[in-house]
Amino acid sequence: GTTPDQLSVRRFFLGWERALPALAAERLAAEWTGAGPLDLTTLLVIVPTRQAGRRLREALAEHAAGKAQAVFPPCVLTPDALVTQGLPADLAATRIETILAWSAVLRAVALEDFREVFPVDPPERNAAWALQLAGQLARLQGALGEGGLRIADVVARAGEFPETARWRELGELERRYDEELAAISRRDERAVRIAAASRPVLPAGVEKIIVVATPDPLPLAVQVWAEH
């Protein structure tokens, strides 16, 4: 794939004197003469939120109307929507399926085989304990997933460090969690996103990607547009 240093990147400061959607619309239409419709269909524009995307499309329509023309808008996506382009809707596990799968693993596992994670047995190994810990593990997966990592990737990326043994055990628990989801034909949502980012699918016809007012995009989204 293309590294960030190899990308053809141009940066523009739009200024502060007017609302950002209007300034962005003017920048996107900078090469438009007004002789025909404003055609931006070869552009993919990344914006921070869906609301920002709606406001940008409105600003583009107003800009074109100023010259009595129509606009063919660009594809406008948030970083999250960019990562999930083309994914089957029923592949990723829901939040409830995730928690139940983790709970099943925690209720079944032999704690004495995972003493780095469970140094002592819980006072009560019941459903409430399993659900609470399942939520913590799901949040850990979510935090790592934003950076394109799964629990099992931590040791491979970090090498040996004081908690290496603990992370290896967590990785084994994650493997068992994956098996629980596979039994119901589901995959972990973060795993699906990470896999999708390695084989990105962009909307048809896109020739250029423009990032507008998105200063801290998801690393997975950066990976997607770096591939193009």
Side-chain angles (χ1 to χ4, degrees), residues 119-183:
V120 296
D121 291 350
E124 290 187 72
R125 192 176 177 186
N126 53 22
W129 167 81
L131 288 171
Q132 180 180 17
L133 188 52
Q136 294 173 4
L137 289 167
R139 287 191 291 274
L140 174 61
Q141 286 181 308
L144 290 171
E146 288 188 359
L149 296 175
R150 304 203 69 208
I151 294 174
D153 297 328
V154 172
V155 173
R157 292 289 185 93
E160 293 294 324
F161 62 103
E163 293 194 354
T164 295
R166 181 168 183 264
W167 281 94
R168 283 203 177 102
E169 290 186 2
L170 286 169
E172 172 58 21
L173 291 173
E174 183 179 58
R175 187 190 66 78
R176 299 185 187 193
Y177 154 82
D178 287 339
E179 290 179 348
E180 287 287 334
L181 288 180

Side-chain angles (χ1 to χ4, degrees), residues 87-109:
L87 292 182
D90 60 349
L91 178 62
T94 65
R95 172 70 177 177
I96 292 176
E97 289 169 337
T98 293
I99 296 298
L100 291 178
W102 269 122
S103 297
V105 170
L106 295 169
R107 295 292 296 275
V109 71

Side-chain angles (χ1 to χ4, degrees), residues 43-110:
L43 302 182
L44 169 60
V45 182
I46 308 300
V47 294
T49 65
R50 286 186 294 178
Q51 171 75 357
R54 183 183 63 80
R55 293 185 63 195
L56 176 60
R57 285 187 288 267
E58 290 174 349
L60 287 168
E62 291 177 5
H63 186 75
K67 294 186 178 182
Q69 292 289 357
V71 60
F72 299 120
C75 178
V76 181
L77 297 173
T78 64
D80 184 69
L82 173 64
V83 171
T84 57
Q85 280 286 299
L87 292 182
D90 60 349
L91 178 62
T94 65
R95 172 70 177 177
I96 292 176
E97 289 169 337
T98 293
I99 296 298
L100 291 178
W102 269 122
S103 297
V105 170
L106 295 169
R107 295 292 296 275
V109 71

